[in-house]
Amino acid sequence: MAQATREYGEWPLKRLMTEVVGSGHKSADDMSRTQAREAFQRILGGEPDHTTLGAFWLANRWKRNTPEELGAYVDVMSEESVETATPDADPVDCGANYDGKGRSAILGVGAGVVAAAAGTPVVVHSGDRVPTQKQDAYKHVLDELGVRTEIEPSESADMVDEVGFGFYYQPAFNPGIDALFDRRDQMGVRTFVNTVETLANPADASVHLGSFYHLAFAKKMVRTLKESETTSVERALFFQGMEGYDDVRPGETIVAEWPVTGDESDDEDIADFEIRTGEYGMDIESEDLQVEDVAGESAAITEAVLAGEREDGFADAVALNAALRIYAREDADSIQDGLEQARGAIADGSAADTLDDLRAF
């Protein structure tokens, strides 16, 4: 223990539990940046006892992490685990929940390919059956489409530059987080690792697109990006996603955008506004996007939409999600402008061609 203290500092997880975070969700204190950094350094180093680690994760879940703590976790992850591979293009970084979806189609592959065909490069990243849900994610849809996914970060960067759409595989670019798989699996609930891994940003992009259940969480994510000392993200767009994923929820949906100056934003330069997806051609209910075989059916839907063979609610949803990616990177002045670009990329065949290029990579 003495050597661990000399290596890491004065705050082993057991002491943090006893003196700071472990007294309960109402009486627990928040950690300083220094304490949070040391905690995650120890976790990534495999130093804590397994019981202490589980207790620490659960205590953080009860008390809820502050943006300063989350920003410190992001910084440690970036410094000690993430291998970035920066493409020449500056893509939109899409960080969906890694533990996936279980009821509705994953539309982000189709939306990303459409956006790429329209001139907006896109990066997605995921692991393979990540706890706690261990459901279908980006990797599994791409696997069903015949796209190589278990590739090194340098290949992922080349994929972005050659195709316009790139996939980064968590075990390859974020091995420290991947090494926590078994411990996370034994928890049975999500931990702060589920939050920070979505901000890994392996392509070193300046734009991030994410999702949230509640607006307050979107604002916390923006504050986390602002608190991080390592992130390259300068702009972010968050919207209410289906199953917490980065597929926009049908109906009346809140979007949070940062930074926005002027009367439309709050004192942190965060603007939030509501869109009605029906006004953008996505006039369906969430139930209309449900599937039984998430990976297989999502791949089949993606292929058909990009080939122009479907003009139903799935096609409308793919186009609108592509529009949000185009707008996030400011390649369109409005979501409506982005939607026109997306529909044009499908209609002229360039989206289908981009999928062919992705498969051939």
Side-chain angles (χ1 to χ4, degrees), residues 269-281:
D269 294 335
I270 305 170
D272 62 270
F273 55 93
E274 184 178 88
I275 65 170
R276 293 176 174 82
T277 62
E279 296 177 358
Y280 295 93

Side-chain angles (χ1 to χ4, degrees), residues 106-328:
I106 293 173
L107 306 172
V109 172
V113 171
V114 170
T120 296
V122 170
V123 157
V124 302
H125 41 98
S126 79
D128 190 359
R129 313 294 179 198
V130 171
T132 55
Q133 296 184 147
K134 296 196 287 188
Q135 294 177 329
D136 292 330
Y138 273 121
K139 178 188 190 304
H140 309 107
V141 179
L142 290 164
D143 286 343
E144 291 285 341
L145 286 167
V147 177
R148 291 194 306 129
T149 57
E150 298 183 16
I151 57 179
E152 293 302 310
S154 60
E155 293 180 281
S156 300
D158 290 341
M159 183 184 287
V160 178
D161 286 329
E162 292 184 23
V163 180
F165 177 97
F167 174 76
Y168 286 71
Y169 186 41
Q170 186 185 50
F173 79 83
N174 203 352
I177 297 298
D178 182 63
L180 296 173
F181 184 99
D182 290 340
R183 300 273 57 81
R184 295 171 66 186
D185 194 23
Q186 292 300 318
M187 281 296 296
V189 294
R190 288 175 174 171
T191 71
F192 64 73
V193 180
N194 292 81
T195 299
V196 300
E197 68 188 349
T198 67
L199 300 177
N201 193 13
D204 203 29
S206 63
V207 179
H208 176 79
L209 181 140
S211 65
F212 61 89
Y213 286 108
H214 305 291
L215 180 60
F217 183 77
K219 292 190 174 184
K220 177 182 279 192
M221 293 295 277
V222 169
R223 295 183 190 113
T224 296
L225 291 170
K226 293 169 72 173
E227 288 285 349
S228 170
E229 297 175 351
T230 60
T231 185
S232 59
V233 174
E234 300 174 352
R235 172 172 163 78
L237 195 75
F238 291 91
F239 54 73
Q240 289 175 309
M242 296 185 67
E243 300 185 63
Y245 220 73
D246 57 5
D247 299 321
V248 68
R249 187 181 71 185
E252 296 180 353
T253 297
I254 302 296
V255 178
E257 183 177 0
W258 168 80
V260 176
T261 58
D263 296 338
E264 296 179 349
S265 65
D266 61 18
D267 57 1
E268 295 180 295
D269 294 335
I270 305 170
D272 62 270
F273 55 93
E274 184 178 88
I275 65 170
R276 293 176 174 82
T277 62
E279 296 177 358
Y280 295 93
M282 187 178 163
D283 192 13
I284 54 175
E285 303 294 331
S286 295
E287 292 76 12
D288 297 322
L289 299 178
Q290 291 186 354
V291 294
E292 293 185 7
D293 174 8
V294 173
E297 291 186 60
S298 297
I301 289 164
T302 296
E303 188 170 21
V305 169
L306 270 54
E309 296 171 357
R310 296 188 72 142
E311 297 181 354
D312 56 3
F314 285 107
D316 295 332
V318 167
L320 180 54
N321 278 282
L324 288 164
R325 285 150 175 77
I326 296 168
Y327 176 71

